[in-house]
Structures are given as structure tokens and as C-alpha cells.
Amino acid sequence: MPPSNPPRSRIRWLEVAVPAHAEAVEAVSEILSRFGHNGIAVELPIDSRGGTDHTVKAYLVEDAEAFAKVSDVRDALGHLQAFGLGPIGELAVRSIDDADWLEAWKASVTPIRIGAFFVRPTWSDARDDGAVTLTLDPGMAFGTGLHPTTQQCLEALSQLRLEGVRVLDVGTGSGILAIAAAKRGAREIVAVDTDPLAVRAATENARGNDLSVDVRAGSAADVDGTFDVVLANLVGPVLVQIAADLRARVRTSGSLVAAGITAQAEPEVLHAFTAQGLGVIDRAERADWVRLILTA
Ligand code: SAH
């Protein structure tokens, strides 16, 4: 007989699934990632015959606001179609429990090589001997290595000189960037996130990689001192909002890696950083996402 009361700690989730044509996947993912709880999953067709044969999924905690969020997602998808950026199919919502969510998530996370790094989930024993392996349990935090903005930061971390340097990772999520920096020889790494779930996930992931990362709840303003490299894979408006705090953490001639910037938000973000005396030394763009490296 099933228990009459599920354990209190059990979180229920809403899975929001949107069928999309390959060309619409990026735009749908961007919308879902604005509403979903840290991360989206994209299911690819085994044998693509065109049409809306990809599925983009996001997970929302089933709380009082969840249904309003689903309605916002519907509106945003409607706008997408109105701009001719579809074709997308009918949004489907279902309620699932933690265990199902984890299984669905696990099936969607596959090992991936990005720059100098090979990112694999904890349940995989895949190897790439030529790369620096990062083993991650994405848990409930964003940062599986699949999102283009994370990839852009990992590419930057493949190029930057990290041996012996101090690194601050603002918005660490799963801890992926902090762990990558540590694996490439950074000496002292502080990682912060405003989301307690991320703090927990990053702490566990660092431990799982046998690394010591100082993970704390908070943001750039809650950290003292300066760093050789500051990482900030956030979103445009947040980068603008905390530009001064980020600047304050970068030591003279240190680097700030800023990502999560849409091409549309780039001028405003650039303006905020230049006003703080930061100058761009490198720029990369992929699928409408811009990653900047700036120096103080
Ligand atoms: N660094 C990871 C995760 C990026 S997602 C990666 O590159 O994949 C962005 C993270 O920033 C989320 O975990 C979110 O909780 C956190 N975040 C959002 N606003 C923030 C802020 N103002 N300060 C610190 N963290 C923030």
C-alpha cells in the first residue's frame, strides 16, 4: 500500500515540454530557461525528419506561482510564433515527483568535450584522456556544460592562464566553472550563488571532484578582496546591476569573463562595464549569446 502522506521534503515539479523544430530549439530554450528552475533539457530526435521533432523541457517547482509561470511561458512562446521564429508545437505540462525528474534529467545529460575540458555526469564512466575531466551531478542546478553560455566560459577557461591564480565565480550554479578553474591549477577559488540549491550542488560537485572550493551563499558584493579572474555567467540585466561589484573584485590587469549576454543586451552591458573602467579584450558569439573577457 502506498503511504497516505508523501514525505514532506518531497518536492513536486511541473515538467513543461515544448515540441520544436531544430531551428526553434535555441529560442524556446531561452524562454524556458527564464522560467524553469535552473536548466533545461533538449531531447533530440533519433532520426530527424524535420518538423517539430525536438522537445525542449523545463522543470518548475510546483508551488503557488507555478501556474502563473506556465501562463507566462505560453505568452512568450506565442510571441515567438508571432515573430515567425517557430515552428513549435503545443506546450504540455505534467506533474512529476523528484525521482521521475532525476531520471528524466539523467537521460538527457551526456558527456561532452568543450575546449580543454571533458564534462561528464557522475553516473557516466566515459573518458577522454586528452582532456581535463569534470565530473558533475547537475542535480537541480544549472550548468551541465550543455548551455552555450557555459560552453563559452569553459572555452575562455581553456585559454586563460590559471596556474596559481585566485578565481571568483559569481553565479556558480552546479559549480562547473569553479571546478574547471581548479582543475586547471587555480590556487584559491571562491564561488557564490544567491540560490541555496546551487550552493549545495556546487559544494557537492567540488567534493565529488576531490577539490576544495569555497562555496558561499551570496553575490559579488558579499566577497572581500580582489581576484585575478572573475567569472560571471549570469544574464544581461544582472550583469548591469552588479557591474560595480564585479569591477571591485577584479585586481588591476585581472580578467572578468562575462557571459549570458544576448546580442540585444550587449550594448547596455558594455556601457555598464566601460563606465566602471573595464575594457574588452576578447569577444565570442554563439547562437545569439555573447561572452566577453574584460580587463581592469
Ligand atoms: N556558472 C554556471 C551557472 C550559471 S547560471 C554555468 O556557467 O553554467 C546563473 C547562476 O547565477 C544561477 O545559479 C543563479 O542562481 C545565479 N545568480 C543569479 N543572479 C545572481 C546574482 N545576482 N549573484 C549571484 N548569483 C546569481
Side-chain angles (χ1 to χ4, degrees):
M1 216 176 76
S4 50
N5 286 314
R8 284 242 179 100
S9 61
R10 190 138 211 173
I11 301 172
R12 289 198 68 85
W13 298 84
L14 284 185
E15 180 191 77
V16 177
V18 182
H21 185 276
E23 282 171 12
V25 164
E26 205 59 56
V28 172
S29 303
E30 200 275 318
I31 289 173
L32 290 189
S33 65
R34 270 190 257 149
F35 297 95
H37 195 91
N38 301 326
I40 45 141
V42 180
E43 284 169 14
L44 307 172
I46 293 166
D47 175 22
S48 182
R49 292 183 301 276
T52 54
D53 58 3
H54 290 55
T55 307
V56 187
K57 291 182 172 175
Y59 299 90
L60 316 182
V61 175
E62 193 176 336
D63 58 13
E65 285 114 60
F67 287 92
K69 282 189 189 162
V70 171
S71 159
D72 289 345
V73 170
R74 270 212 181 85
D75 287 351
L77 292 172
H79 284 133
L80 199 65
Q81 275 172 317
F83 283 115
L85 293 169
I88 55 182
E90 247 337 272
L91 174 150
V93 184
R94 70 183 181 110
S95 181
I96 54 175
D97 70 24
D98 247 348
D100 291 342
W101 185 86
L102 266 183
E103 287 317 305
W105 182 254
K106 280 185 176 181
S108 74
V109 182
T110 46
I112 182 171
R113 171 80 189 247
I114 304 154
F117 303 102
F118 181 63
V119 187
R120 69 170 187 202
T122 39
W123 52 89
S124 161
D125 52 12
R127 291 172 55 156
D128 182 337
D129 292 335
V132 178
T133 300
L134 312 178
T135 306
L136 288 176
D137 187 339
M140 277 142 217
F142 177 104
T144 61
L146 300 172
H147 196 279
T149 64
T150 308
Q151 297 200 10
Q152 289 174 321
C153 291
L154 287 175
E155 279 157 7
L157 288 173
S158 304
Q159 293 156 15
L160 288 169
R161 206 188 59 78
L162 292 173
E163 198 66 44
V165 311
R166 270 169 62 80
V167 175
L168 173 65
D169 183 16
V170 181
T172 196
S174 64
I176 185 167
L177 303 180
I179 291 166
K183 287 247 172 160
R184 285 212 55 236
R187 177 172 53 89
E188 209 183 315
I189 303 120
V190 179
V192 289
D193 203 294
T194 45
D195 180 348
L197 279 179
V199 172
R200 200 173 75 192
T203 305
E204 283 168 13
N205 279 324
R207 199 178 300 136
N209 284 273
D210 296 321
L211 293 169
S212 121
V213 175
D214 178 356
V215 189
R216 307 178 196 166
S219 191
D222 304 307
V223 181
D224 293 325
T226 59
F227 296 79
D228 304 284
V229 176
V230 176
L231 306 165
N233 183 13
L234 299 162
V235 287
V238 174
L239 290 171
V240 170
Q241 194 191 333
I242 66 168
D245 300 329
L246 291 170
R247 166 66 189 94
R249 303 279 78 83
V250 183
R251 77 155 173 76
T252 310
S253 74
S255 310
L256 168 65
V257 178
I261 309 161
T262 58
Q264 198 193 0
E266 186 181 8
E268 204 190 330
V269 173
L270 263 180
H271 180 78
F273 285 145
T274 34
Q276 296 296 330
L278 291 162
V280 176
I281 51 172
D282 188 55
R283 179 184 183 279
E285 182 171 348
R286 180 184 307 155
D288 214 31
W289 291 105
V290 176
R291 185 269 285 142
L292 301 172
I293 304 182
L294 305 106
T295 191

